[in-house]
Amino acid sequence: VDVREIRKRLNLSQSEFAKRYHLSIKNIQQWEQGQRALRGPSLVLMIAIKNDPSGVKKAIDHDLNDY
């Protein structure tokens, strides 16, 4: 899974991508630069974003409104 490709396809900066999906910019940078591998939950999240970016955003926003 190529994080940069997903982010670019959505036409988002690293900062915008981080904010939209509640991720740290540092993690995004490390994934994009190959300094850190996607594993476990982060890998599953990126696969979900790749396949349904608006659905993932909607689910995250919905659940975060409960807190």
Side-chain angles (χ1 to χ4, degrees):
V1 176
D2 186 334
V3 175
R4 179 176 283 134
E5 180 182 310
I6 295 167
R7 181 178 61 77
K8 293 280 189 182
R9 187 178 53 140
L10 296 172
N11 199 31
L12 297 172
S13 69
Q14 288 179 340
S15 178
E16 292 166 331
F17 190 76
K19 187 175 181 178
R20 178 174 290 188
Y21 296 108
H22 301 273
L23 301 164
S24 79
I25 293 174
K26 184 177 179 179
N27 281 347
I28 292 168
Q29 291 169 339
Q30 290 175 334
W31 292 327
E32 289 188 2
Q33 295 169 6
Q35 297 172 345
R36 185 179 205 170
L38 285 166
R39 294 179 201 188
S42 60
L43 175 59
V44 172
L45 178 60
M46 286 304 140
I47 292 169
I49 293 170
K50 179 181 176 185
N51 290 307
D52 187 5
S54 60
V56 172
K57 181 175 180 354
K58 183 178 176 183
I60 290 170
D61 290 348
H62 178 267
D63 283 351
L64 289 179
N65 285 332
D66 293 340
Y67 295 98

